[in-house]
Coordinates of all heavy atoms in Angstrom, one line a residue:
M1 N 98.2 84.8 107.9 CA 96.9 84.8 107.2 C 96.1 83.7 107.8 O 94.8 83.9 108.0 CB 97.2 84.6 105.7 CG 96.1 84.7 104.9 SD 95.5 86.4 104.9 CE 94.6 86.4 103.4
Y2 N 96.6 82.6 108.2 CA 95.9 81.5 108.8 C 95.2 81.9 110.0 O 94.0 81.6 110.3 CB 96.8 80.3 109.1 CG 96.2 79.3 109.9 CD1 95.2 78.4 109.3 CD2 96.3 79.3 111.3 CE1 94.6 77.5 110.2 CE2 95.7 78.3 112.1 CZ 94.9 77.4 111.5 OH 94.2 76.4 112.4
F3 N 95.9 82.7 110.9 CA 95.3 83.1 112.2 C 94.2 84.1 112.0 O 93.2 84.1 112.6 CB 96.3 83.7 113.2 CG 97.4 82.7 113.6 CD1 98.7 82.8 113.2 CD2 97.0 81.6 114.4 CE1 99.6 81.7 113.6 CE2 97.9 80.6 114.8 CZ 99.2 80.8 114.5
F4 N 94.4 85.0 111.0 CA 93.3 85.9 110.7 C 92.0 85.2 110.2 O 90.9 85.5 110.6 CB 93.7 86.9 109.6 CG 92.6 87.8 109.1 CD1 92.0 88.8 109.8 CD2 92.0 87.5 107.9 CE1 91.0 89.6 109.4 CE2 91.0 88.3 107.4 CZ 90.5 89.3 108.2
M5 N 92.2 84.2 109.3 CA 91.0 83.5 108.8 C 90.4 82.6 109.9 O 89.2 82.5 110.0 CB 91.5 82.6 107.6 CG 91.9 83.4 106.4 SD 90.7 84.5 105.8 CE 89.5 83.5 105.2
D6 N 91.3 82.0 110.8 CA 90.8 81.3 111.9 C 89.9 82.1 112.8 O 88.9 81.8 113.3 CB 91.9 80.6 112.7 CG 91.4 79.6 113.8 OD1 90.5 78.9 113.5 OD2 92.0 79.7 114.8
F7 N 90.4 83.4 113.0 CA 89.7 84.3 113.9 C 88.4 84.8 113.2 O 87.3 84.7 113.9 CB 90.5 85.5 114.2 CG 89.7 86.7 114.8 CD1 89.3 86.7 116.1 CD2 89.4 87.8 113.9 CE1 88.5 87.7 116.6 CE2 88.6 88.8 114.5 CZ 88.3 88.7 115.7
S8 N 88.4 85.2 112.0 CA 87.3 85.7 111.3 C 86.2 84.7 110.9 O 85.0 85.1 110.9 CB 87.7 86.5 110.1 OG 88.3 85.7 109.1
L9 N 86.6 83.5 110.8 CA 85.6 82.5 110.4 C 85.1 81.6 111.5 O 84.0 81.3 111.7 CB 86.2 81.5 109.3 CG 86.5 82.2 108.0 CD1 87.3 81.2 107.1 CD2 85.3 82.7 107.3
E10 N 86.1 81.4 112.5 CA 85.7 80.5 113.6 C 85.5 81.3 114.9 O 85.0 80.8 115.9 CB 86.7 79.4 113.8 CG 86.9 78.5 112.6 CD 85.7 77.7 112.4 OE1 85.0 77.3 113.3 OE2 85.4 77.4 111.2
G11 N 86.2 82.5 115.1 CA 86.2 83.2 116.2 C 87.2 82.9 117.3 O 87.1 83.4 118.4
N12 N 88.1 82.1 116.8 CA 89.2 81.7 117.9 C 90.3 82.9 118.1 O 90.7 83.5 117.2 CB 90.0 80.6 117.3 CG 89.1 79.3 117.1 OD1 88.2 79.1 118.0 ND2 89.3 78.6 116.1
L13 N 90.5 83.2 119.3 CA 91.5 84.2 119.7 C 92.8 83.5 119.9 O 92.9 82.4 120.4 CB 91.0 84.9 120.9 CG 89.7 85.7 120.8 CD1 89.2 86.1 122.2 CD2 89.8 86.8 119.9
P14 N 93.9 84.3 119.6 CA 95.3 83.7 119.8 C 95.5 83.2 121.1 O 96.3 82.2 121.3 CB 96.2 85.0 119.4 CG 95.3 85.9 118.6 CD 93.9 85.6 119.1
A15 N 95.1 83.9 122.2 CA 95.3 83.4 123.6 C 94.3 82.4 124.1 O 94.3 82.0 125.2 CB 95.4 84.6 124.5
G16 N 93.5 81.9 123.1 CA 92.5 81.0 123.5 C 91.1 81.7 123.7 O 91.1 82.9 123.8
G17 N 90.0 80.9 123.7 CA 88.8 81.6 123.9 C 88.1 82.0 122.6 O 88.7 81.7 121.5
K18 N 87.0 82.5 122.6 CA 86.2 82.9 121.4 C 85.9 84.4 121.6 O 85.7 84.9 122.5 CB 84.9 82.1 121.4 CG 85.1 80.7 121.1 CD 85.3 80.3 119.6 CE 85.2 78.9 119.4 NZ 85.3 78.5 118.1
T19 N 85.8 85.0 120.3 CA 85.5 86.4 120.3 C 83.9 86.6 120.4 O 83.2 85.6 120.1 CB 85.9 87.0 119.0 OG1 85.6 88.5 119.0 CG2 85.2 86.4 117.8
T20 N 83.5 87.7 120.9 CA 82.0 88.1 120.9 C 81.6 88.9 119.8 O 80.5 89.2 119.6 CB 81.8 88.8 122.2 OG1 82.5 90.0 122.2 CG2 82.0 88.0 123.4
L21 N 82.6 89.2 118.8 CA 82.3 90.0 117.6 C 81.6 89.1 116.6 O 81.7 87.9 116.6 CB 83.6 90.5 117.1 CG 84.4 91.4 117.8 CD1 85.7 91.8 117.2 CD2 83.6 92.7 118.1
Q22 N 80.8 89.8 115.7 CA 80.1 89.0 114.7 C 81.2 88.5 113.6 O 82.1 89.1 113.3 CB 79.2 89.9 113.9 CG 78.4 89.3 112.9 CD 77.4 90.3 112.2 OE1 77.3 91.4 112.6 NE2 76.7 89.8 111.2
L23 N 81.0 87.2 113.3 CA 81.9 86.5 112.4 C 81.5 86.7 110.9 O 80.4 87.1 110.6 CB 81.9 85.0 112.7 CG 82.3 84.7 114.1 CD1 82.3 83.1 114.3 CD2 83.7 85.2 114.5
I24 N 82.3 86.5 110.0 CA 82.1 86.6 108.6 C 81.1 85.4 108.3 O 81.3 84.2 108.6 CB 83.4 86.4 107.8 CG1 84.3 87.6 108.1 CG2 83.2 86.2 106.3 CD1 85.6 87.5 107.4
T25 N 80.1 85.7 107.5 CA 79.2 84.7 106.9 C 79.6 84.0 105.8 O 80.6 84.5 105.1 CB 77.8 85.4 106.7 OG1 78.0 86.2 105.5 CG2 77.3 86.2 107.9
E26 N 79.0 82.9 105.3 CA 79.4 82.1 104.2 C 79.3 83.0 102.9 O 80.0 83.0 102.0 CB 78.6 80.9 104.0 CG 79.0 79.8 105.1 CD 78.2 78.5 104.9 OE1 77.9 78.2 103.7 OE2 77.9 77.9 105.9
D27 N 78.2 83.9 102.9 CA 78.0 84.8 101.8 C 79.1 85.7 101.6 O 79.5 86.1 100.5 CB 76.7 85.5 101.9 CG 75.5 84.6 101.9 OD1 75.6 83.5 101.3 OD2 74.5 85.0 102.4
E28 N 79.7 86.2 102.7 CA 80.7 87.2 102.7 C 82.1 86.5 102.2 O 82.9 87.1 101.6 CB 80.9 87.8 104.0 CG 79.7 88.8 104.4 CD 79.7 89.2 105.8 OE1 80.2 88.4 106.7 OE2 79.2 90.3 106.0
V29 N 82.3 85.3 102.6 CA 83.5 84.6 102.2 C 83.6 84.5 100.7 O 84.6 84.7 100.1 CB 83.5 83.1 102.8 CG1 84.7 82.4 102.2 CG2 83.6 83.2 104.2
V30 N 82.5 84.3 100.0 CA 82.4 84.2 98.5 C 82.8 85.5 97.9 O 83.5 85.7 96.9 CB 81.0 83.8 98.0 CG1 80.9 83.9 96.5 CG2 80.7 82.4 98.5
L31 N 82.4 86.6 98.6 CA 82.7 87.9 98.1 C 84.2 88.3 98.2 O 84.7 89.1 97.5 CB 81.8 89.1 98.9 CG 80.4 89.0 98.7 CD1 79.7 90.0 99.6 CD2 79.9 89.1 97.2
M32 N 84.9 87.6 99.1 CA 86.3 87.9 99.2 C 87.0 87.5 97.9 O 88.1 88.0 97.6 CB 86.9 87.1 100.4 CG 86.4 87.6 101.7 SD 86.9 86.6 103.1 CE 88.5 87.0 103.4
K33 N 86.5 86.5 97.2 CA 87.2 86.0 96.0 C 86.6 86.7 94.7 O 87.2 86.6 93.6 CB 86.9 84.5 95.8 CG 87.4 83.7 96.9 CD 87.0 82.2 96.8 CE 87.2 81.5 98.0 NZ 86.7 80.1 97.9
T34 N 85.5 87.4 94.9 CA 84.8 88.1 93.8 C 85.3 89.6 93.6 O 85.4 90.3 94.6 CB 83.4 88.2 94.0 OG1 82.9 86.8 94.2 CG2 82.6 88.6 92.7
P35 N 85.6 90.0 92.3 CA 86.1 91.4 92.1 C 85.1 92.3 92.7 O 83.9 92.1 92.6 CB 86.3 91.4 90.7 CG 86.5 90.1 90.2 CD 85.7 89.2 91.1
Y36 N 85.6 93.4 93.3 CA 84.8 94.4 93.8 C 83.7 95.0 92.8 O 82.7 95.3 93.1 CB 85.6 95.7 94.4 CG 86.4 95.3 95.6 CD1 87.8 95.2 95.5 CD2 85.8 95.1 96.8 CE1 88.6 95.0 96.6 CE2 86.5 94.9 97.9 CZ 87.9 94.8 97.8 OH 88.7 94.6 98.9
A37 N 84.2 95.0 91.5 CA 83.4 95.6 90.4 C 82.1 94.9 90.3 O 81.0 95.4 89.8 CB 84.1 95.6 89.1
Q38 N 82.0 93.7 90.7 CA 80.8 92.8 90.6 C 79.9 92.9 91.7 O 78.7 92.5 91.6 CB 81.2 91.4 90.4 CG 82.0 91.0 89.2 CD 82.3 89.6 89.0 OE1 81.8 88.7 89.6 NE2 83.3 89.3 88.1
W39 N 80.2 93.4 92.8 CA 79.3 93.5 93.9 C 79.3 94.7 94.8 O 78.3 95.1 95.6 CB 79.5 92.3 94.8 CG 80.8 92.2 95.5 CD1 82.0 91.6 95.0 CD2 81.2 92.7 96.8 NE1 83.0 91.8 95.9 CE2 82.6 92.5 97.0 CE3 80.5 93.5 97.7 CZ2 83.2 92.8 98.1 CZ3 81.2 93.9 98.9 CH2 82.6 93.6 99.1
A40 N 80.4 95.5 94.8 CA 80.5 96.7 95.7 C 79.9 97.9 95.2 O 79.6 98.1 93.9 CB 82.0 96.9 95.9
K41 N 79.4 98.8 96.1 CA 78.9 100.1 95.7 C 80.0 101.1 95.4 O 81.2 100.8 95.9 CB 78.0 100.6 96.8 CG 76.8 99.8 97.2 CD 76.0 100.3 98.3 CE 74.8 99.4 98.5 NZ 74.0 99.9 99.7
A42 N 79.7 102.2 94.8 CA 80.7 103.2 94.5 C 81.3 103.7 95.8 O 80.5 103.8 96.8 CB 80.1 104.3 93.8
P43 N 82.4 104.1 96.0 CA 83.5 104.2 94.8 C 84.3 102.9 94.7 O 85.1 102.9 93.8 CB 84.4 105.3 95.4 CG 84.4 105.1 96.9 CD 82.9 104.7 97.2
W44 N 84.1 101.9 95.4 CA 84.8 100.6 95.3 C 84.5 99.8 94.1 O 85.2 99.0 93.7 CB 84.7 99.8 96.6 CG 85.2 100.6 97.8 CD1 86.5 100.7 98.1 CD2 84.4 101.3 98.7 NE1 86.6 101.5 99.3 CE2 85.3 101.8 99.7 CE3 83.1 101.5 98.9 CZ2 84.9 102.6 100.6 CZ3 82.6 102.3 100.0 CH2 83.5 102.8 100.8
S45 N 83.2 100.0 93.5 CA 82.9 99.3 92.3 C 83.8 99.5 91.1 O 83.7 98.8 90.2 CB 81.4 99.7 91.9 OG 81.3 101.0 91.7
N46 N 84.6 100.5 91.2 CA 85.6 100.8 90.1 C 86.8 99.9 90.2 O 87.6 99.8 89.3 CB 86.0 102.2 90.1 CG 84.8 103.1 89.7 OD1 83.8 102.8 89.1 ND2 84.9 104.4 90.3
T47 N 87.0 99.1 91.2 CA 88.1 98.3 91.5 C 87.9 96.9 90.8 O 86.9 96.3 91.1 CB 88.4 98.1 93.0 OG1 88.5 99.4 93.6 CG2 89.7 97.4 93.3
R48 N 88.8 96.5 90.0 CA 88.7 95.2 89.3 C 89.2 94.0 90.0 O 88.9 92.9 89.7 CB 89.4 95.2 87.9 CG 88.8 96.3 87.0 CD 89.4 96.4 85.7 NE 89.0 97.5 84.9 CZ 88.1 97.5 84.0 NH1 87.4 96.4 83.7 NH2 87.7 98.5 83.3
S49 N 90.0 94.2 91.1 CA 90.6 93.2 91.9 C 89.6 92.7 93.0 O 88.7 93.4 93.3 CB 91.9 93.6 92.4 OG 91.7 94.7 93.3
S50 N 90.0 91.6 93.6 CA 89.2 91.2 94.8 C 90.0 91.3 96.0 O 91.2 91.5 95.9 CB 88.9 89.7 94.5 OG 90.1 88.9 94.6
L51 N 89.4 91.2 97.2 CA 90.2 91.2 98.4 C 91.3 90.1 98.4 O 92.4 90.4 98.8 CB 89.2 91.0 99.6 CG 89.9 90.9 100.9 CD1 90.7 92.2 101.3 CD2 88.9 90.7 102.0
Q52 N 90.9 89.0 98.0 CA 91.9 87.8 98.1 C 93.1 88.1 97.2 O 94.2 87.9 97.6 CB 91.2 86.5 97.6 CG 92.1 85.3 97.7 CD 91.4 84.1 97.2 OE1 90.2 84.1 96.8 NE2 92.0 83.0 97.3
S53 N 92.9 88.7 96.0 CA 94.0 89.0 95.1 C 94.9 90.1 95.7 O 96.1 90.0 95.6 CB 93.5 89.4 93.7 OG 92.8 90.5 93.7
R54 N 94.3 91.0 96.4 CA 95.1 92.1 97.0 C 95.8 91.6 98.1 O 97.0 92.1 98.4 CB 94.1 93.3 97.4 CG 93.5 93.9 96.1 CD 92.7 95.2 96.6 NE 93.6 96.1 97.2 CZ 93.2 97.1 98.1 NH1 91.9 97.1 98.5 NH2 94.0 98.0 98.5
L55 N 95.2 90.7 99.0 CA 96.0 90.2 100.1 C 97.2 89.3 99.7 O 98.2 89.2 100.4 CB 95.0 89.4 100.9 CG 94.0 90.1 101.8 CD1 93.1 89.1 102.4 CD2 94.7 91.1 102.8
L56 N 97.1 88.7 98.5 CA 98.1 87.8 98.0 C 99.2 88.5 97.2 O 100.2 88.0 97.0 CB 97.5 86.7 97.2 CG 96.6 85.8 97.9 CD1 96.0 84.6 97.1 CD2 97.4 85.1 99.2
E57 N 99.0 89.8 96.9 CA 100.0 90.6 96.3 C 101.2 90.7 97.2 O 101.0 91.1 98.4 CB 99.5 92.0 95.9 CG 98.6 92.1 94.7 CD 98.0 93.5 94.5 OE1 98.6 94.4 95.0 OE2 97.1 93.6 93.7
D58 N 102.4 90.5 96.7 CA 103.6 90.6 97.5 C 103.8 91.9 98.3 O 104.0 91.9 99.4 CB 104.9 90.3 96.7 CG 104.9 88.9 96.3 OD1 104.3 88.0 97.0 OD2 105.6 88.5 95.4
R59 N 103.6 93.0 97.6 CA 103.9 94.3 98.2 C 102.9 94.6 99.4 O 103.3 95.1 100.3 CB 104.0 95.4 97.2 CG 102.7 95.6 96.4 CD 103.1 96.6 95.2 NE 102.0 96.4 94.2 CZ 100.9 97.1 94.1 NH1 100.8 98.2 94.9 NH2 100.0 96.8 93.2
F60 N 101.6 94.2 99.1 CA 100.6 94.5 100.2 C 100.9 93.6 101.3 O 101.0 94.1 102.5 CB 99.3 94.2 99.7 CG 98.2 94.4 100.7 CD1 97.6 95.6 100.8 CD2 97.7 93.3 101.5 CE1 96.6 95.8 101.7 CE2 96.7 93.5 102.4 CZ 96.2 94.7 102.5
F61 N 101.1 92.3 101.1 CA 101.3 91.3 102.2 C 102.6 91.6 103.0 O 102.6 91.6 104.2 CB 101.4 90.0 101.7 CG 101.5 88.8 102.7 CD1 100.4 88.6 103.5 CD2 102.7 88.2 102.9 CE1 100.6 87.6 104.6 CE2 102.8 87.3 103.9 CZ 101.8 87.0 104.7
V62 N 103.7 91.9 102.3 CA 104.9 92.1 103.0 C 104.8 93.4 103.8 O 105.3 93.4 104.9 CB 106.2 92.1 102.0 CG1 107.4 92.7 102.6 CG2 106.3 90.8 101.3
R63 N 104.4 94.4 103.2 CA 104.3 95.7 104.0 C 103.5 95.5 105.3 O 103.9 96.0 106.4 CB 103.7 96.8 103.1 CG 103.5 98.2 103.7 CD 102.9 99.2 102.9 NE 101.7 98.7 102.5 CZ 101.0 99.1 101.3 NH1 101.7 99.8 100.4 NH2 99.9 98.7 101.1
H64 N 102.4 94.9 105.2 CA 101.5 94.8 106.4 C 102.0 93.7 107.4 O 101.9 93.8 108.5 CB 100.1 94.6 106.0 CG 99.4 95.7 105.3 ND1 99.1 96.8 106.0 CD2 99.2 95.9 104.0 CE1 98.6 97.7 105.2 NE2 98.6 97.2 104.0
Y65 N 102.6 92.6 106.8 CA 103.1 91.5 107.7 C 104.3 92.1 108.5 O 104.3 91.8 109.7 CB 103.6 90.3 106.8 CG 104.2 89.3 107.7 CD1 103.3 88.5 108.4 CD2 105.5 89.1 107.8 CE1 103.8 87.4 109.2 CE2 106.1 88.1 108.6 CZ 105.1 87.3 109.3 OH 105.7 86.3 110.1
R66 N 105.1 93.0 108.0 CA 106.2 93.5 108.6 C 105.7 94.3 109.8 O 106.2 94.3 110.9 CB 107.0 94.4 107.7 CG 108.3 94.9 108.4 CD 109.3 95.6 107.5 NE 108.6 96.6 106.8 CZ 108.5 96.8 105.4 NH1 109.2 95.9 104.7 NH2 107.9 97.8 104.8
N67 N 104.7 95.2 109.6 CA 104.1 96.0 110.7 C 103.5 95.1 111.8 O 103.7 95.4 112.9 CB 103.1 97.0 110.1 CG 103.7 98.0 109.2 OD1 104.9 98.2 109.3 ND2 102.9 98.7 108.4
I68 N 102.8 94.1 111.4 CA 102.2 93.3 112.4 C 103.2 92.5 113.2 O 103.1 92.3 114.3 CB 101.2 92.3 111.7 CG1 100.0 93.2 111.2 CG2 100.6 91.2 112.6 CD1 99.0 92.4 110.3
S69 N 104.2 92.0 112.4 CA 105.3 91.3 113.1 C 106.0 92.0 114.1 O 106.2 91.6 115.3 CB 106.3 90.8 112.0 OG 106.8 89.6 112.3
C70 N 106.3 93.4 113.9 CA 106.9 94.2 114.9 C 106.0 94.5 116.1 O 106.4 94.4 117.3 CB 107.3 95.6 114.2 SG 108.6 95.5 113.0
M71 N 104.7 94.7 115.8 CA 103.8 94.9 116.9 C 103.7 93.6 117.8 O 103.6 93.7 119.0 CB 102.4 95.3 116.4 CG 102.3 96.7 115.9 SD 100.6 97.3 115.7 CE 99.9 96.0 114.6
R72 N 103.6 92.4 117.1 CA 103.5 91.2 117.9 C 104.7 91.0 118.8 O 104.6 90.6 120.0 CB 103.4 90.1 116.9 CG 102.0 89.5 116.9 CD 101.8 88.5 115.9 NE 102.5 87.2 116.3 CZ 102.7 86.1 115.4 NH1 102.2 86.2 114.3 NH2 103.3 85.0 115.8
A73 N 105.9 91.3 118.2 CA 107.1 91.1 119.0 C 107.2 92.1 120.2 O 107.5 91.6 121.3 CB 108.3 91.4 118.1
R74 N 106.7 93.3 120.0 CA 106.7 94.2 121.1 C 105.7 93.8 122.2 O 106.0 93.9 123.4 CB 106.4 95.6 120.6 CG 107.6 96.2 119.7 CD 107.2 97.6 119.3 NE 107.2 98.6 120.3 CZ 108.3 99.2 120.8 NH1 109.5 98.9 120.2 NH2 108.2 100.1 121.8
L75 N 104.5 93.4 121.8 CA 103.5 92.8 122.8 C 104.1 91.6 123.5 O 103.8 91.6 124.8 CB 102.3 92.5 122.0 CG 101.3 93.7 121.6 CD1 100.2 93.2 120.7 CD2 100.7 94.3 122.9
W76 N 104.7 90.7 122.8 CA 105.3 89.6 123.5 C 106.3 89.9 124.5 O 106.3 89.2 125.6 CB 105.9 88.6 122.4 CG 106.3 87.3 122.9 CD1 107.6 87.0 123.2 CD2 105.5 86.2 123.1 NE1 107.6 85.6 123.7 CE2 106.3 85.2 123.7 CE3 104.1 85.9 123.0 CZ2 105.8 83.9 124.0 CZ3 103.7 84.7 123.3 CH2 104.5 83.7 123.8
E77 N 107.0 91.0 124.3 CA 108.0 91.4 125.3 C 107.4 92.4 126.4 O 108.1 92.8 127.2 CB 109.1 92.2 124.6 CG 110.0 91.4 123.7 CD 110.7 90.3 124.4 OE1 111.2 90.5 125.5 OE2 110.8 89.2 123.9
G78 N 106.0 92.5 126.4 CA 105.4 93.4 127.4 C 105.5 94.9 127.1 O 105.4 95.7 128.0
M79 N 105.9 95.2 125.8 CA 106.1 96.6 125.6 C 104.9 97.2 124.8 O 104.1 96.5 124.3 CB 107.4 96.8 124.6 CG 108.7 96.2 125.3 SD 110.1 96.0 124.2 CE 110.3 97.7 123.6
T80 N 104.9 98.5 124.7 CA 103.8 99.2 123.9 C 104.0 98.8 122.4 O 105.0 98.9 121.9 CB 103.9 100.7 124.1 OG1 103.8 100.9 125.4 CG2 102.8 101.4 123.4
P81 N 102.8 98.4 121.8 CA 103.0 98.0 120.4 C 103.1 99.1 119.4 O 102.4 99.2 118.4 CB 101.7 97.2 120.1 CG 100.8 97.8 121.1 CD 101.5 98.2 122.3
M82 N 103.9 100.1 119.6 CA 104.2 101.1 118.7 C 105.7 101.6 118.9 O 106.2 101.4 120.0 CB 103.2 102.3 118.8 CG 103.4 103.1 120.1 SD 102.2 104.5 120.1 CE 100.6 103.8 120.0
S83 N 106.2 102.2 117.8 CA 107.6 102.6 117.9 C 107.7 103.9 118.8 O 106.8 104.5 119.1 CB 108.1 103.0 116.5 OG 107.5 104.1 116.0
G84 N 109.0 104.2 119.1 CA 109.1 105.4 120.0 C 108.8 106.7 119.3 O 108.3 107.6 119.8
G85 N 109.0 106.6 117.9 CA 108.6 107.7 117.1 C 107.1 108.0 117.1 O 106.7 109.1 117.2
Q86 N 106.4 106.9 116.9 CA 104.9 107.0 116.9 C 104.5 107.5 118.4 O 103.5 108.2 118.4 CB 104.3 105.7 116.7 CG 104.5 105.2 115.2 CD 103.9 103.8 115.0 OE1 104.1 103.0 115.9 NE2 103.2 103.6 114.0
W87 N 105.0 107.0 119.4 CA 104.7 107.3 120.7 C 104.8 108.8 120.9 O 104.0 109.5 121.4 CB 105.6 106.6 121.8 CG 105.3 106.7 123.1 CD1 105.8 107.6 124.0 CD2 104.3 106.0 123.9 NE1 105.2 107.5 125.2 CE2 104.3 106.5 125.2 CE3 103.4 105.0 123.6 CZ2 103.5 106.0 126.2 CZ3 102.6 104.5 124.6 CH2 102.6 105.0 125.9
K88 N 106.0 109.4 120.5 CA 106.2 110.8 120.7 C 105.4 111.7 119.7 O 104.9 112.7 120.1 CB 107.7 111.1 120.4 CG 108.6 110.7 121.5 CD 110.0 111.0 121.4 CE 110.8 110.4 122.5 NZ 112.3 110.7 122.4
S89 N 105.1 111.2 118.5 CA 104.3 112.0 117.6 C 102.9 112.1 118.0 O 102.2 113.1 117.8 CB 104.4 111.3 116.1 OG 103.6 110.1 116.1
R90 N 102.5 111.2 118.8 CA 101.1 111.2 119.4 C 101.0 111.9 120.8 O 100.0 111.9 121.5 CB 100.5 109.8 119.5 CG 100.3 109.2 118.2 CD 99.8 107.8 118.2 NE 99.6 107.3 116.9 CZ 99.1 106.1 116.6 NH1 98.6 105.4 117.6 NH2 99.1 105.7 115.4
K91 N 102.2 112.4 121.2 CA 102.4 113.1 122.4 C 102.0 112.2 123.6 O 101.5 112.8 124.6 CB 101.6 114.4 122.4 CG 102.1 115.4 121.3 CD 101.5 116.7 121.5 CE 101.7 117.8 120.5 NZ 102.8 117.7 119.6
L92 N 102.3 111.0 123.5 CA 102.0 110.1 124.6 C 103.1 110.1 125.7 O 102.9 109.5 126.8 CB 101.8 108.7 124.1 CG 100.6 108.5 123.2 CD1 100.5 107.0 122.6 CD2 99.3 108.7 123.9
D93 N 104.2 110.8 125.4 CA 105.2 110.9 126.4 C 105.0 112.1 127.3 O 105.5 112.3 128.3 CB 106.6 111.1 125.7 CG 106.6 112.3 124.8 OD1 105.5 112.7 124.2 OD2 107.7 112.8 124.5
D94 N 103.9 112.9 127.0 CA 103.5 114.0 127.8 C 102.7 113.5 129.0 O 101.7 112.7 128.8 CB 102.6 115.0 127.0 CG 102.2 116.2 127.7 OD1 102.5 116.3 128.9 OD2 101.7 117.1 127.1
T95 N 103.0 113.9 130.2 CA 102.3 113.3 131.4 C 100.8 113.7 131.4 O 100.1 113.0 132.0 CB 103.0 113.9 132.7 OG1 103.0 115.3 132.6 CG2 104.4 113.3 132.8
A96 N 100.4 114.7 130.7 CA 99.0 115.1 130.6 C 98.3 114.1 129.8 O 97.0 113.9 130.0 CB 98.8 116.5 130.0
N97 N 98.8 113.3 129.0 CA 98.2 112.3 128.2 C 98.3 110.9 128.8 O 98.0 110.0 128.3 CB 98.7 112.3 126.8 CG 98.4 113.6 126.0 OD1 97.4 114.2 126.3 ND2 99.3 114.0 125.2

């Protein structure tokens, strides 16, 4: 979470350097804590939770952290950041692709 916030607020990349993408503004940071029902347009305006509360929910965080952790480990080893099953389901093992 720290690295994501460092990237989105400051633009720092994990390998060093800065991103050229647009960063989150101060106004948008406030919206991360505010429930969607108070500021978002339909269909998200029916959601009573905020982005921050959803990110801090255990089931959301653990599920996504595990996926990111596996991808990071594969990238670190110089491997494709997807499982063999995903690779085959997307037909990337076909020489035409």
Side-chain angles (χ1 to χ4, degrees):
M1 191 65 161
Y2 168 79
F3 292 114
F4 171 73
M5 294 305 291
D6 187 42
F7 166 75
S8 60
L9 297 172
E10 301 293 327
N12 297 323
L13 297 170
K18 294 275 189 180
T19 184
T20 57
L21 298 173
Q22 183 177 356
L23 301 178
I24 294 175
T25 65
E26 289 182 34
D27 296 336
E28 292 168 329
V29 171
V30 173
L31 295 177
M32 294 170 79
K33 301 175 191 175
T34 308
Y36 291 109
Q38 294 181 17
W39 62 271
K41 295 180 181 179
W44 300 281
S45 59
N46 296 330
T47 307
R48 296 180 191 264
S49 63
S50 67
L51 174 62
Q52 182 178 5
S53 66
R54 291 184 66 205
L55 287 174
L56 296 176
E57 286 179 13
D58 287 339
R59 62 191 158 97
F60 179 88
F61 182 73
V62 169
R63 180 180 59 208
H64 293 287
Y65 180 77
R66 183 176 54 231
N67 293 341
I68 291 169
S69 216
C70 291
M71 284 195 306
R72 253 175 71 186
R74 293 180 69 86
L75 283 169
W76 188 259
E77 294 294 323
M79 300 167 63
T80 305
M82 65 175 65
S83 68
Q86 288 175 322
W87 186 265
K88 288 182 180 180
S89 72
R90 295 178 184 188
K91 298 186 183 345
L92 296 173
D93 57 335
D94 186 355
T95 55
N97 294 328

